Amino acid sequence: MKRKVMMAFAVMLAVALAACGGTEKDESRTAPPAETEAAADENEDNGEEDSNQETPRETVKLSMFVDEPWWPYSDWSGTMPRWATEQTGVDFDVTVAADTTELDLMVASGTLPDVIISSDFNLLSDESVCYDWGSLIDEYGMDPVHPAYQFVNTANDGKFYTIMVGWSADYEYGQYPSVNPEGVCATAREDIYNDICQTLGITQIATLEDLEAVMELCKEKYPDVTPYIFGSEWGQDRYMSALYGCAWEGFADQDGKAVLWISQERRKDLMMKMNEWYRKGYILEENFSWSNVNTQYEWCYSGNCFIAAAMSNAASNMDTGSSDAGADFKWVPLTDIHTDDNEICATATGWRGYFISRNCENPEAAMKMAQFLTDKETGYTMLWGVEGEDWNWNEDKTLVTFNYSQEDPDYTELNAERQFKWGWLGHDGISNNMAYTAAPKTRQSLEWVGSITTRNPALGLVMNAMETDSEEYVIYQNLKELDKNYIVKIICADSAEEASAQYDEMVENAKKLGVEKVEEWANSIYEEKIAAYNEVKDIGPEGWEK
């Protein structure tokens, strides 16, 4: 019976690949044999082998170390990994890290395996430790990498040693307008929202002034309800930061220069506005003590909150959570609001990478698998499963409908069979974020996030270049601690004058800690990196030298 199931899987996967239109990138790549279940039964009953089946290609087994102790699989054995092996001829003997120190010890002792899966970009992006992809691609005549992807993965030595996952180029987000990284959006309790909007004679909250007006009326009409709460586990209010166009960590571009988040000129306006809200009773000091999103959700389910600034899936989650808690509340995402300055600047360049060590016995095979995992067609299939069974495109191929959910009772069994998460070795921003679009309210929130998002991975590369043993990194960590210590003092000050004084004191202390030194270092490399990014950011799927 198990063989029958696998034959059916092979048929569906063959159809899925045929539907993708094929690829000229690797002509040796074929779909699994499209043996029908009936034919499989007949051959099985007769004890015959199918003479039409292709002779399996010789398989190369490589060692893989996954530098993430929580990794969900301990072997390369699910239907998706097996399909990858069939297509590439590459198999893996997997070892998952027991703790976070193993990789450093392997590098120091020169005992790295063939392939390393890790987020430690700087440690492994070293020609004495790993092969750079560009050299392997040239040596073995493989497909080149898109210039934008090369740019965001360029190490300090000018080479690229991996493609970090989770990043997509601007043109790709243009192709999938509803697909954006999980972001922050405000969500309002629907009954209060409808009542207050009707009282004010407005149909939507479109401006910051509208937002303040509904909170003021909420305070008056619903005195036991807190008008606004936010996810304090972030350390600060990322939603309000987005409305003011402020970063909450790392670097931002200010007049063409890289400045640390704590130096942004607009940030004082943001802090002063939140202090005003505190003094009016719109937000509470205890909000800053909440350590996780569960406390925020509990306030919503208990009827203590009007507007919650949370992740883009909050409205959908809180609809379900309120119902489960026995509360008759529905939640509506506030996606009509815009300000003159609203912006989320996405600076990330990705995280986990597939690195090929200098100890690799067969770098050609390792690189072949790397390209298979990062290819759009095969990589998406690895992560999503079988088209037609596990998922389907909409008519214009801008959204995917998944026929499973991680909340399904039988998902654990399905995931154990498929091992979808091996697709995390090569996923981009589109493939990983597609699942978030399934719920309509989440999709609505993501579209708002996308409407105010700009992308500047050059700033992310500056951050990546900051070595953890450098003076700049020590200063940066001290600045984060300084910011954390002053946020509550500023926002919860008893007067605007006190809030302003606390903010100015924080800025002066930041200077004493060395904020200008870090920014001087950053700008010594930012100008070159932003110029290089501007050269490739508008390159689409075509129009570059392959």
Side-chain angles (χ1 to χ4, degrees), residues 118 130 141 146 156 174 197 202 212 228 257 286 291 323-324 335 356 360 377 387 450-451 456-457 471 540:
S118 175
C130 291
H146 189 285
N156 291 337
C197 285
I202 60 176
E212 292 182 293
Y228 182 87
K257 298 290 185 181
E286 68 181 277
S291 60
S323 177
D324 291 345
T335 55
I356 302 170
C360 185
E377 295 174 1
E387 183 177 4
S451 73
N456 187 347
E471 182 182 4

mmCIF file with all atom_site columns, all heavy atoms in Angstrom, residues 118 130 141 146 156 174 197 202 212 228 257 286 291 323-324 335 356 360 377 387 450-451 456-457 471 540:
data_model
loop_
_atom_site.group_PDB
_atom_site.id
_atom_site.type_symbol
_atom_site.label_atom_id
_atom_site.label_alt_id
_atom_site.label_comp_id
_atom_site.label_asym_id
_atom_site.label_entity_id
_atom_site.label_seq_id
_atom_site.pdbx_PDB_ins_code
_atom_site.Cartn_x
_atom_site.Cartn_y
_atom_site.Cartn_z
_atom_site.occupancy
_atom_site.B_iso_or_equiv
_atom_site.pdbx_formal_charge
_atom_site.auth_seq_id
_atom_site.auth_comp_id
_atom_site.auth_asym_id
_atom_site.auth_atom_id
_atom_site.pdbx_PDB_model_num
ATOM 1   N N   . SER A 1 118 ? 23.601  27.368 8.132   1.00 0.00 ? 118 SER A N   1
ATOM 2   C CA  . SER A 1 118 ? 23.844  28.242 9.283   1.00 0.00 ? 118 SER A CA  1
ATOM 3   C C   . SER A 1 118 ? 23.470  29.681 8.956   1.00 0.00 ? 118 SER A C   1
ATOM 4   O O   . SER A 1 118 ? 23.446  30.084 7.794   1.00 0.00 ? 118 SER A O   1
ATOM 5   C CB  . SER A 1 118 ? 25.322  28.185 9.681   1.00 0.00 ? 118 SER A CB  1
ATOM 6   O OG  . SER A 1 118 ? 25.610  29.097 10.722  1.00 0.00 ? 118 SER A OG  1
ATOM 7   N N   . CYS A 1 130 ? 35.162  28.211 3.362   1.00 0.00 ? 130 CYS A N   1
ATOM 8   C CA  . CYS A 1 130 ? 34.144  27.715 2.425   1.00 0.00 ? 130 CYS A CA  1
ATOM 9   C C   . CYS A 1 130 ? 34.472  28.133 0.994   1.00 0.00 ? 130 CYS A C   1
ATOM 10  O O   . CYS A 1 130 ? 35.225  29.086 0.757   1.00 0.00 ? 130 CYS A O   1
ATOM 11  C CB  . CYS A 1 130 ? 32.758  28.245 2.798   1.00 0.00 ? 130 CYS A CB  1
ATOM 12  S SG  . CYS A 1 130 ? 32.093  27.567 4.336   1.00 0.00 ? 130 CYS A SG  1
ATOM 13  N N   . GLY A 1 141 ? 30.387  25.424 -14.969 1.00 0.00 ? 141 GLY A N   1
ATOM 14  C CA  . GLY A 1 141 ? 29.479  25.868 -16.024 1.00 0.00 ? 141 GLY A CA  1
ATOM 15  C C   . GLY A 1 141 ? 28.018  25.861 -15.615 1.00 0.00 ? 141 GLY A C   1
ATOM 16  O O   . GLY A 1 141 ? 27.143  25.496 -16.406 1.00 0.00 ? 141 GLY A O   1
ATOM 17  N N   . HIS A 1 146 ? 21.234  35.785 -10.123 1.00 0.00 ? 146 HIS A N   1
ATOM 18  C CA  . HIS A 1 146 ? 20.732  37.131 -10.442 1.00 0.00 ? 146 HIS A CA  1
ATOM 19  C C   . HIS A 1 146 ? 21.567  38.191 -9.713  1.00 0.00 ? 146 HIS A C   1
ATOM 20  O O   . HIS A 1 146 ? 21.924  38.019 -8.539  1.00 0.00 ? 146 HIS A O   1
ATOM 21  C CB  . HIS A 1 146 ? 19.263  37.232 -10.020 1.00 0.00 ? 146 HIS A CB  1
ATOM 22  C CG  . HIS A 1 146 ? 18.577  38.482 -10.473 1.00 0.00 ? 146 HIS A CG  1
ATOM 23  N ND1 . HIS A 1 146 ? 18.797  39.707 -9.890  1.00 0.00 ? 146 HIS A ND1 1
ATOM 24  C CD2 . HIS A 1 146 ? 17.686  38.692 -11.468 1.00 0.00 ? 146 HIS A CD2 1
ATOM 25  C CE1 . HIS A 1 146 ? 18.056  40.618 -10.491 1.00 0.00 ? 146 HIS A CE1 1
ATOM 26  N NE2 . HIS A 1 146 ? 17.373  40.027 -11.459 1.00 0.00 ? 146 HIS A NE2 1
ATOM 27  N N   . ASN A 1 156 ? 32.512  40.560 2.857   1.00 0.00 ? 156 ASN A N   1
ATOM 28  C CA  . ASN A 1 156 ? 33.473  41.656 2.941   1.00 0.00 ? 156 ASN A CA  1
ATOM 29  C C   . ASN A 1 156 ? 34.595  41.541 1.923   1.00 0.00 ? 156 ASN A C   1
ATOM 30  O O   . ASN A 1 156 ? 35.223  42.543 1.564   1.00 0.00 ? 156 ASN A O   1
ATOM 31  C CB  . ASN A 1 156 ? 34.068  41.721 4.351   1.00 0.00 ? 156 ASN A CB  1
ATOM 32  C CG  . ASN A 1 156 ? 33.042  42.157 5.395   1.00 0.00 ? 156 ASN A CG  1
ATOM 33  O OD1 . ASN A 1 156 ? 32.050  42.793 5.060   1.00 0.00 ? 156 ASN A OD1 1
ATOM 34  N ND2 . ASN A 1 156 ? 33.279  41.795 6.641   1.00 0.00 ? 156 ASN A ND2 1
ATOM 35  N N   . GLY A 1 174 ? 6.810   43.004 -6.682  1.00 0.00 ? 174 GLY A N   1
ATOM 36  C CA  . GLY A 1 174 ? 5.888   43.620 -7.623  1.00 0.00 ? 174 GLY A CA  1
ATOM 37  C C   . GLY A 1 174 ? 4.998   42.606 -8.316  1.00 0.00 ? 174 GLY A C   1
ATOM 38  O O   . GLY A 1 174 ? 3.849   42.904 -8.656  1.00 0.00 ? 174 GLY A O   1
ATOM 39  N N   . CYS A 1 197 ? -17.018 55.268 14.800  1.00 0.00 ? 197 CYS A N   1
ATOM 40  C CA  . CYS A 1 197 ? -16.989 55.864 13.458  1.00 0.00 ? 197 CYS A CA  1
ATOM 41  C C   . CYS A 1 197 ? -18.351 56.456 13.099  1.00 0.00 ? 197 CYS A C   1
ATOM 42  O O   . CYS A 1 197 ? -18.439 57.531 12.484  1.00 0.00 ? 197 CYS A O   1
ATOM 43  C CB  . CYS A 1 197 ? -16.575 54.817 12.421  1.00 0.00 ? 197 CYS A CB  1
ATOM 44  S SG  . CYS A 1 197 ? -14.812 54.429 12.442  1.00 0.00 ? 197 CYS A SG  1
ATOM 45  N N   . ILE A 1 202 ? -17.526 59.265 10.282  1.00 0.00 ? 202 ILE A N   1
ATOM 46  C CA  . ILE A 1 202 ? -16.462 58.880 9.359   1.00 0.00 ? 202 ILE A CA  1
ATOM 47  C C   . ILE A 1 202 ? -16.647 57.412 8.979   1.00 0.00 ? 202 ILE A C   1
ATOM 48  O O   . ILE A 1 202 ? -17.274 56.640 9.709   1.00 0.00 ? 202 ILE A O   1
ATOM 49  C CB  . ILE A 1 202 ? -15.055 59.089 9.963   1.00 0.00 ? 202 ILE A CB  1
ATOM 50  C CG1 . ILE A 1 202 ? -14.871 58.247 11.235  1.00 0.00 ? 202 ILE A CG1 1
ATOM 51  C CG2 . ILE A 1 202 ? -14.821 60.560 10.264  1.00 0.00 ? 202 ILE A CG2 1
ATOM 52  C CD1 . ILE A 1 202 ? -13.468 58.319 11.833  1.00 0.00 ? 202 ILE A CD1 1
ATOM 53  N N   . GLU A 1 212 ? -6.436  59.420 16.515  1.00 0.00 ? 212 GLU A N   1
ATOM 54  C CA  . GLU A 1 212 ? -6.510  60.066 17.824  1.00 0.00 ? 212 GLU A CA  1
ATOM 55  C C   . GLU A 1 212 ? -7.948  60.410 18.193  1.00 0.00 ? 212 GLU A C   1
ATOM 56  O O   . GLU A 1 212 ? -8.346  60.321 19.364  1.00 0.00 ? 212 GLU A O   1
ATOM 57  C CB  . GLU A 1 212 ? -5.638  61.313 17.830  1.00 0.00 ? 212 GLU A CB  1
ATOM 58  C CG  . GLU A 1 212 ? -4.147  60.996 17.730  1.00 0.00 ? 212 GLU A CG  1
ATOM 59  C CD  . GLU A 1 212 ? -3.284  62.233 17.782  1.00 0.00 ? 212 GLU A CD  1
ATOM 60  O OE1 . GLU A 1 212 ? -3.338  63.039 16.839  1.00 0.00 ? 212 GLU A OE1 1
ATOM 61  O OE2 . GLU A 1 212 ? -2.554  62.394 18.775  1.00 0.00 ? 212 GLU A OE2 1
ATOM 62  N N   . TYR A 1 228 ? -5.522  51.862 23.343  1.00 0.00 ? 228 TYR A N   1
ATOM 63  C CA  . TYR A 1 228 ? -4.438  51.403 22.472  1.00 0.00 ? 228 TYR A CA  1
ATOM 64  C C   . TYR A 1 228 ? -3.442  50.569 23.259  1.00 0.00 ? 228 TYR A C   1
ATOM 65  O O   . TYR A 1 228 ? -2.971  50.979 24.327  1.00 0.00 ? 228 TYR A O   1
ATOM 66  C CB  . TYR A 1 228 ? -3.729  52.625 21.869  1.00 0.00 ? 228 TYR A CB  1
ATOM 67  C CG  . TYR A 1 228 ? -2.608  52.326 20.894  1.00 0.00 ? 228 TYR A CG  1
ATOM 68  C CD1 . TYR A 1 228 ? -2.858  52.140 19.543  1.00 0.00 ? 228 TYR A CD1 1
ATOM 69  C CD2 . TYR A 1 228 ? -1.287  52.248 21.334  1.00 0.00 ? 228 TYR A CD2 1
ATOM 70  C CE1 . TYR A 1 228 ? -1.829  51.876 18.641  1.00 0.00 ? 228 TYR A CE1 1
ATOM 71  C CE2 . TYR A 1 228 ? -0.254  51.981 20.442  1.00 0.00 ? 228 TYR A CE2 1
ATOM 72  C CZ  . TYR A 1 228 ? -0.530  51.802 19.106  1.00 0.00 ? 228 TYR A CZ  1
ATOM 73  O OH  . TYR A 1 228 ? 0.489   51.545 18.217  1.00 0.00 ? 228 TYR A OH  1
ATOM 74  N N   . LYS A 1 257 ? 22.725  59.435 4.063   1.00 0.00 ? 257 LYS A N   1
ATOM 75  C CA  . LYS A 1 257 ? 23.728  58.951 5.009   1.00 0.00 ? 257 LYS A CA  1
ATOM 76  C C   . LYS A 1 257 ? 23.132  57.849 5.880   1.00 0.00 ? 257 LYS A C   1
ATOM 77  O O   . LYS A 1 257 ? 21.929  57.849 6.175   1.00 0.00 ? 257 LYS A O   1
ATOM 78  C CB  . LYS A 1 257 ? 24.232  60.086 5.901   1.00 0.00 ? 257 LYS A CB  1
ATOM 79  C CG  . LYS A 1 257 ? 24.934  61.213 5.151   1.00 0.00 ? 257 LYS A CG  1
ATOM 80  C CD  . LYS A 1 257 ? 26.270  60.747 4.603   1.00 0.00 ? 257 LYS A CD  1
ATOM 81  C CE  . LYS A 1 257 ? 27.037  61.883 3.962   1.00 0.00 ? 257 LYS A CE  1
ATOM 82  N NZ  . LYS A 1 257 ? 28.340  61.435 3.398   1.00 0.00 ? 257 LYS A NZ  1
ATOM 83  N N   . GLU A 1 286 ? 1.929   49.919 32.218  1.00 0.00 ? 286 GLU A N   1
ATOM 84  C CA  . GLU A 1 286 ? 2.133   48.482 32.396  1.00 0.00 ? 286 GLU A CA  1
ATOM 85  C C   . GLU A 1 286 ? 2.300   47.746 31.069  1.00 0.00 ? 286 GLU A C   1
ATOM 86  O O   . GLU A 1 286 ? 2.835   46.634 31.036  1.00 0.00 ? 286 GLU A O   1
ATOM 87  C CB  . GLU A 1 286 ? 0.980   47.872 33.194  1.00 0.00 ? 286 GLU A CB  1
ATOM 88  C CG  . GLU A 1 286 ? -0.351  47.862 32.489  1.00 0.00 ? 286 GLU A CG  1
ATOM 89  C CD  . GLU A 1 286 ? -1.445  47.256 33.364  1.00 0.00 ? 286 GLU A CD  1
ATOM 90  O OE1 . GLU A 1 286 ? -1.553  46.013 33.386  1.00 0.00 ? 286 GLU A OE1 1
ATOM 91  O OE2 . GLU A 1 286 ? -2.168  48.025 34.025  1.00 0.00 ? 286 GLU A OE2 1
ATOM 92  N N   . SER A 1 291 ? 5.804   40.737 28.408  1.00 0.00 ? 291 SER A N   1
ATOM 93  C CA  . SER A 1 291 ? 6.966   40.070 27.833  1.00 0.00 ? 291 SER A CA  1
ATOM 94  C C   . SER A 1 291 ? 6.667   39.272 26.568  1.00 0.00 ? 291 SER A C   1
ATOM 95  O O   . SER A 1 291 ? 7.587   38.845 25.881  1.00 0.00 ? 291 SER A O   1
ATOM 96  C CB  . SER A 1 291 ? 7.602   39.143 28.876  1.00 0.00 ? 291 SER A CB  1
ATOM 97  O OG  . SER A 1 291 ? 6.666   38.160 29.291  1.00 0.00 ? 291 SER A OG  1
ATOM 98  N N   . SER A 1 323 ? -13.373 33.910 20.030  1.00 0.00 ? 323 SER A N   1
ATOM 99  C CA  . SER A 1 323 ? -14.422 32.885 20.000  1.00 0.00 ? 323 SER A CA  1
ATOM 100 C C   . SER A 1 323 ? -14.090 31.751 20.958  1.00 0.00 ? 323 SER A C   1
ATOM 101 O O   . SER A 1 323 ? -14.954 31.297 21.725  1.00 0.00 ? 323 SER A O   1
ATOM 102 C CB  . SER A 1 323 ? -14.579 32.352 18.575  1.00 0.00 ? 323 SER A CB  1
ATOM 103 O OG  . SER A 1 323 ? -15.529 31.319 18.531  1.00 0.00 ? 323 SER A OG  1
ATOM 104 N N   . ASP A 1 324 ? -12.846 31.310 20.947  1.00 0.00 ? 324 ASP A N   1
ATOM 105 C CA  . ASP A 1 324 ? -12.436 30.226 21.842  1.00 0.00 ? 324 ASP A CA  1
ATOM 106 C C   . ASP A 1 324 ? -12.559 30.631 23.308  1.00 0.00 ? 324 ASP A C   1
ATOM 107 O O   . ASP A 1 324 ? -12.806 29.783 24.179  1.00 0.00 ? 324 ASP A O   1
ATOM 108 C CB  . ASP A 1 324 ? -10.991 29.811 21.546  1.00 0.00 ? 324 ASP A CB  1
ATOM 109 C CG  . ASP A 1 324 ? -10.838 29.124 20.202  1.00 0.00 ? 324 ASP A CG  1
ATOM 110 O OD1 . ASP A 1 324 ? -11.865 28.704 19.629  1.00 0.00 ? 324 ASP A OD1 1
ATOM 111 O OD2 . ASP A 1 324 ? -9.690  29.025 19.717  1.00 0.00 ? 324 ASP A OD2 1
ATOM 112 N N   . THR A 1 335 ? -6.392  49.404 7.774   1.00 0.00 ? 335 THR A N   1
ATOM 113 C CA  . THR A 1 335 ? -5.495  49.440 6.620   1.00 0.00 ? 335 THR A CA  1
ATOM 114 C C   . THR A 1 335 ? -5.727  50.628 5.698   1.00 0.00 ? 335 THR A C   1
ATOM 115 O O   . THR A 1 335 ? -5.227  50.645 4.571   1.00 0.00 ? 335 THR A O   1
ATOM 116 C CB  . THR A 1 335 ? -5.630  48.140 5.813   1.00 0.00 ? 335 THR A CB  1
ATOM 117 O OG1 . THR A 1 335 ? -7.008  47.946 5.456   1.00 0.00 ? 335 THR A OG1 1
ATOM 118 C CG2 . THR A 1 335 ? -5.152  46.950 6.627   1.00 0.00 ? 335 THR A CG2 1
ATOM 119 N N   . ILE A 1 356 ? 29.192  25.651 1.443   1.00 0.00 ? 356 ILE A N   1
ATOM 120 C CA  . ILE A 1 356 ? 29.946  24.480 0.992   1.00 0.00 ? 356 ILE A CA  1
ATOM 121 C C   . ILE A 1 356 ? 31.374  24.613 1.528   1.00 0.00 ? 356 ILE A C   1
ATOM 122 O O   . ILE A 1 356 ? 32.105  25.533 1.150   1.00 0.00 ? 356 ILE A O   1
ATOM 123 C CB  . ILE A 1 356 ? 29.950  24.385 -0.538  1.00 0.00 ? 356 ILE A CB  1
ATOM 124 C CG1 . ILE A 1 356 ? 28.510  24.325 -1.058  1.00 0.00 ? 356 ILE A CG1 1
ATOM 125 C CG2 . ILE A 1 356 ? 30.751  23.173 -1.000  1.00 0.00 ? 356 ILE A CG2 1
ATOM 126 C CD1 . ILE A 1 356 ? 28.396  24.482 -2.567  1.00 0.00 ? 356 ILE A CD1 1
ATOM 127 N N   . CYS A 1 360 ? 34.712  19.806 1.517   1.00 0.00 ? 360 CYS A N   1
ATOM 128 C CA  . CYS A 1 360 ? 33.704  19.074 0.742   1.00 0.00 ? 360 CYS A CA  1
ATOM 129 C C   . CYS A 1 360 ? 34.368  18.125 -0.259  1.00 0.00 ? 360 CYS A C   1
ATOM 130 O O   . CYS A 1 360 ? 35.219  18.535 -1.059  1.00 0.00 ? 360 CYS A O   1
ATOM 131 C CB  . CYS A 1 360 ? 32.793  20.052 0.014   1.00 0.00 ? 360 CYS A CB  1
ATOM 132 S SG  . CYS A 1 360 ? 31.432  19.256 -0.868  1.00 0.00 ? 360 CYS A SG  1
ATOM 133 N N   . GLU A 1 377 ? 11.323  27.445 -9.342  1.00 0.00 ? 377 GLU A N   1
ATOM 134 C CA  . GLU A 1 377 ? 10.354  26.385 -9.567  1.00 0.00 ? 377 GLU A CA  1
ATOM 135 C C   . GLU A 1 377 ? 10.554  25.224 -8.586  1.00 0.00 ? 377 GLU A C   1
ATOM 136 O O   . GLU A 1 377 ? 9.634   24.820 -7.882  1.00 0.00 ? 377 GLU A O   1
ATOM 137 C CB  . GLU A 1 377 ? 10.438  25.895 -11.006 1.00 0.00 ? 377 GLU A CB  1
ATOM 138 C CG  . GLU A 1 377 ? 10.028  26.950 -12.040 1.00 0.00 ? 377 GLU A CG  1
ATOM 139 C CD  . GLU A 1 377 ? 10.266  26.489 -13.467 1.00 0.00 ? 377 GLU A CD  1
ATOM 140 O OE1 . GLU A 1 377 ? 10.729  25.347 -13.644 1.00 0.00 ? 377 GLU A OE1 1
ATOM 141 O OE2 . GLU A 1 377 ? 10.007  27.265 -14.396 1.00 0.00 ? 377 GLU A OE2 1
ATOM 142 N N   . GLU A 1 387 ? 1.973   20.399 -6.274  1.00 0.00 ? 387 GLU A N   1
ATOM 143 C CA  . GLU A 1 387 ? 0.938   21.231 -6.887  1.00 0.00 ? 387 GLU A CA  1
ATOM 144 C C   . GLU A 1 387 ? -0.228  20.350 -7.306  1.00 0.00 ? 387 GLU A C   1
ATOM 145 O O   . GLU A 1 387 ? -0.063  19.284 -7.885  1.00 0.00 ? 387 GLU A O   1
ATOM 146 C CB  . GLU A 1 387 ? 1.487   21.977 -8.103  1.00 0.00 ? 387 GLU A CB  1
ATOM 147 C CG  . GLU A 1 387 ? 0.469   22.920 -8.725  1.00 0.00 ? 387 GLU A CG  1
ATOM 148 C CD  . GLU A 1 387 ? 1.013   23.725 -9.884  1.00 0.00 ? 387 GLU A CD  1
ATOM 149 O OE1 . GLU A 1 387 ? 2.179   23.497 -10.271 1.00 0.00 ? 387 GLU A OE1 1
ATOM 150 O OE2 . GLU A 1 387 ? 0.269   24.568 -10.415 1.00 0.00 ? 387 GLU A OE2 1
ATOM 151 N N   . GLY A 1 450 ? 2.816   46.197 2.681   1.00 0.00 ? 450 GLY A N   1
ATOM 152 C CA  . GLY A 1 450 ? 3.531   46.355 1.414   1.00 0.00 ? 450 GLY A CA  1
ATOM 153 C C   . GLY A 1 450 ? 3.427   47.751 0.842   1.00 0.00 ? 450 GLY A C   1
ATOM 154 O O   . GLY A 1 450 ? 4.368   48.247 0.215   1.00 0.00 ? 450 GLY A O   1
ATOM 155 N N   . SER A 1 451 ? 2.289   48.419 1.081   1.00 0.00 ? 451 SER A N   1
ATOM 156 C CA  . SER A 1 451 ? 2.073   49.748 0.504   1.00 0.00 ? 451 SER A CA  1
ATOM 157 C C   . SER A 1 451 ? 2.982   50.807 1.103   1.00 0.00 ? 451 SER A C   1
ATOM 158 O O   . SER A 1 451 ? 3.202   51.861 0.495   1.00 0.00 ? 451 SER A O   1
ATOM 159 C CB  . SER A 1 451 ? 0.605   50.166 0.681   1.00 0.00 ? 451 SER A CB  1
ATOM 160 O OG  . SER A 1 451 ? 0.319   50.508 2.043   1.00 0.00 ? 451 SER A OG  1
ATOM 161 N N   . ASN A 1 456 ? 15.925  48.539 1.340   1.00 0.00 ? 456 ASN A N   1
ATOM 162 C CA  . ASN A 1 456 ? 17.286  49.046 1.236   1.00 0.00 ? 456 ASN A CA  1
ATOM 163 C C   . ASN A 1 456 ? 18.243  48.048 1.868   1.00 0.00 ? 456 ASN A C   1
ATOM 164 O O   . ASN A 1 456 ? 18.714  48.241 2.998   1.00 0.00 ? 456 ASN A O   1
ATOM 165 C CB  . ASN A 1 456 ? 17.416  50.415 1.908   1.00 0.00 ? 456 ASN A CB  1
ATOM 166 C CG  . ASN A 1 456 ? 18.782  51.044 1.678   1.00 0.00 ? 456 ASN A CG  1
ATOM 167 O OD1 . ASN A 1 456 ? 19.716  50.388 1.227   1.00 0.00 ? 456 ASN A OD1 1
ATOM 168 N ND2 . ASN A 1 456 ? 18.910  52.317 1.996   1.00 0.00 ? 456 ASN A ND2 1
ATOM 169 N N   . PRO A 1 457 ? 18.529  46.941 1.165   1.00 0.00 ? 457 PRO A N   1
ATOM 170 C CA  . PRO A 1 457 ? 19.442  45.943 1.730   1.00 0.00 ? 457 PRO A CA  1
ATOM 171 C C   . PRO A 1 457 ? 20.868  46.445 1.897   1.00 0.00 ? 457 PRO A C   1
ATOM 172 O O   . PRO A 1 457 ? 21.658  45.803 2.582   1.00 0.00 ? 457 PRO A O   1
ATOM 173 C CB  . PRO A 1 457 ? 19.358  44.790 0.733   1.00 0.00 ? 457 PRO A CB  1
ATOM 174 C CG  . PRO A 1 457 ? 18.925  45.419 -0.552  1.00 0.00 ? 457 PRO A CG  1
ATOM 175 C CD  . PRO A 1 457 ? 18.022  46.542 -0.156  1.00 0.00 ? 457 PRO A CD  1
ATOM 176 N N   . GLU A 1 471 ? 34.839  47.128 17.956  1.00 0.00 ? 471 GLU A N   1
ATOM 177 C CA  . GLU A 1 471 ? 34.444  48.210 18.863  1.00 0.00 ? 471 GLU A CA  1
ATOM 178 C C   . GLU A 1 471 ? 33.065  48.732 18.493  1.00 0.00 ? 471 GLU A C   1
ATOM 179 O O   . GLU A 1 471 ? 32.252  49.069 19.365  1.00 0.00 ? 471 GLU A O   1
ATOM 180 C CB  . GLU A 1 471 ? 35.477  49.342 18.805  1.00 0.00 ? 471 GLU A CB  1
ATOM 181 C CG  . GLU A 1 471 ? 35.165  50.486 19.766  1.00 0.00 ? 471 GLU A CG  1
ATOM 182 C CD  . GLU A 1 471 ? 36.164  51.629 19.665  1.00 0.00 ? 471 GLU A CD  1
ATOM 183 O OE1 . GLU A 1 471 ? 37.066  51.564 18.794  1.00 0.00 ? 471 GLU A OE1 1
ATOM 184 O OE2 . GLU A 1 471 ? 36.038  52.588 20.460  1.00 0.00 ? 471 GLU A OE2 1
ATOM 185 N N   . GLY A 1 540 ? 15.024  43.149 -13.618 1.00 0.00 ? 540 GLY A N   1
ATOM 186 C CA  . GLY A 1 540 ? 13.962  42.168 -13.464 1.00 0.00 ? 540 GLY A CA  1
ATOM 187 C C   . GLY A 1 540 ? 14.445  40.759 -13.748 1.00 0.00 ? 540 GLY A C   1
ATOM 188 O O   . GLY A 1 540 ? 15.640  40.479 -13.719 1.00 0.00 ? 540 GLY A O   1
#
